[in-house]
Amino acid sequence: MSTKPFDRLPPLQLLAAFEAAARHLSFTQAAAERFVTQSAMSRQMRALEEELGVALFERRHRALALTEDGQRLYSACSAALNTLRVAVRTVREPHQRQVLALTTTPGFASLWLIPRLTAFTRANPGIDVRLDAGLGNRNLASEGFDLAIRYSPVGAAQGRQLFAESMLPVCSPRLVGELDLPLREPPDLARHTLLHLAMDGDSAGMPAEWEPWLSAWGLSDLRPAARLSFSSYSEAIAAAVAGQGVALGRRPLVDALLASGQLVTPFDAGIESARAYRLIVDPAARSRPAVKAFERWLIEAAANPG
């Protein structure tokens, strides 16, 4: 009776699928990433466990956890696949256009970055930018991203701070001009609709997004005439431009809209935010010319917002 050599590799597609499942700790998310069904991903993991003769996952109620053997295999697969990605990129780059992969938040992407990207692409015609805008923190190395711009607490250790943030109410200029609903001082917000990003902690009264600003101005008990909540910050700002209410403007994201007159500040009542925007570069990508060019451009653009 023959036995399998201990060092014989399982099919490589199973190892790649395992790396995705172990990284997400979710067969559903891994299946979506690899464009297969959840049941197919589950079968692949069963096949890999049978091939190796060990359990790789602890299948808990609505959750997955790696076993000790699973963690050992994940560490090796993650390192090996990252090494392969770097090697493939190095082979491809001299023969193809350079592709720069960047991840950031939807609000930063739509309000600050995208309007400025034309300047970068014009100055760097050989570089294509792949932009991912989402609220989750991507794993740069394992998910193939070169850089991230993250919305982090002020003083966070990781990365380089591009700029801090300040917050103040903003609205359409025609809203300020309505004589029957004055908007000249902070308490006047009680007569208006507050626009806000839907967040955990929202209650029937004060939106959680507005809480730091209202508290700073002694208006913790303010109850607006109405509220409109949105799934993304850029939607709330678009509603403010359309005159639907007052949004909490986050500078520098809304600076261009203020400069153009599409938004105004009804009263000078800003506060400093506890968060800032930080640039993080994958160490394995830092030496790439495209990444160096984008990092330089971004730092310069952040220092000269006009």
Side-chain angles (χ1 to χ4, degrees):
M1 177 177 168
S2 63
T3 59
K4 298 176 182 177
F6 288 139
D7 59 353
R8 193 188 76 172
L9 287 176
L12 293 182
Q13 68 267 24
L14 290 186
L15 293 176
F18 166 74
E19 188 274 338
R23 172 163 35 86
H24 290 292
L25 289 178
S26 166
F27 289 164
T28 301
Q29 293 181 43
E33 178 180 309
R34 295 188 58 77
F35 303 103
V36 298
T37 64
Q38 190 274 345
S39 59
M41 176 61 65
S42 181
R43 288 195 300 272
Q44 288 178 358
M45 294 305 96
R46 289 288 187 192
L48 181 60
E49 288 176 322
E50 291 175 5
E51 170 77 16
L52 296 174
V54 299
L56 300 172
F57 296 96
E58 294 178 11
R59 291 161 174 83
R60 302 171 180 172
H61 181 62
R62 294 187 177 180
L64 284 177
L66 290 171
T67 64
E68 185 177 343
D69 287 324
Q71 184 60 58
R72 186 180 299 113
L73 183 60
Y74 172 59
S75 297
C77 285
S78 179
L81 288 173
N82 188 50
T83 299
L84 284 172
R85 289 187 186 101
V86 172
V88 168
R89 181 185 293 162
T90 302
V91 169
R92 281 177 171 165
E93 273 192 350
H95 310 288
Q96 297 184 358
R97 296 175 61 88
Q98 297 184 67
V99 178
L100 181 80
L102 167 70
T103 179
T104 189
T105 65
F108 184 89
S110 62
L111 292 171
W112 194 92
L113 182 60
I114 291 174
R116 292 168 169 81
L117 267 182
T118 300
F120 174 77
T121 55
R122 283 178 177 170
N124 299 272
I127 300 175
D128 296 335
V129 178
R130 177 168 67 89
L131 177 60
D132 168 83
L135 296 177
N137 280 353
R138 299 284 202 173
N139 184 306
L140 301 189
S142 63
E143 297 186 60
F145 290 98
D146 302 301
L147 311 98
I149 301 166
R150 290 187 175 148
Y151 188 50
S152 307
V154 170
Q158 190 178 21
R160 170 180 181 147
Q161 181 169 307
L162 293 175
F163 35 62
E165 176 185 73
S166 60
M167 301 183 294
L168 75 174
V170 296
C171 64
S172 165
R174 63 178 177 273
L175 200 64
V176 175
E178 291 184 1
L179 298 178
D180 55 336
L181 291 174
L183 190 55
R184 292 186 289 268
E185 55 186 1
D188 291 339
L189 289 170
R191 300 185 178 96
H192 290 267
T193 298
L194 292 191
L195 312 172
H196 64 99
L197 179 65
M199 299 174 65
D200 292 340
D202 280 343
S203 64
M206 177 170 39
E209 184 187 11
W210 277 84
E211 192 279 331
W213 186 90
L214 290 170
S215 295
W217 288 92
L219 297 171
S220 296
D221 295 330
L222 183 137
R223 295 296 180 265
R227 292 169 31 174
L228 283 176
S229 63
F230 301 87
S231 61
S232 74
Y233 181 68
S234 57
E235 291 171 348
I237 294 301
V241 171
Q244 296 181 22
V246 184
L248 189 62
R250 298 179 180 275
R251 304 188 66 180
L253 300 194
V254 298
D255 281 358
L257 294 170
L258 290 171
S260 69
Q262 295 179 76
L263 289 177
V264 297
T265 57
F267 31 78
D268 186 14
I271 67 169
E272 293 302 310
S273 170
R275 303 184 75 83
Y277 294 89
R278 305 187 70 83
L279 171 64
I280 298 167
V281 182
D282 178 24
R286 188 177 289 279
S287 62
R288 296 178 56 215
V291 175
K292 288 181 178 179
F294 189 84
E295 184 178 13
R296 285 194 303 269
W297 171 81
L298 187 63
I299 292 170
E300 182 178 344
N304 301 281

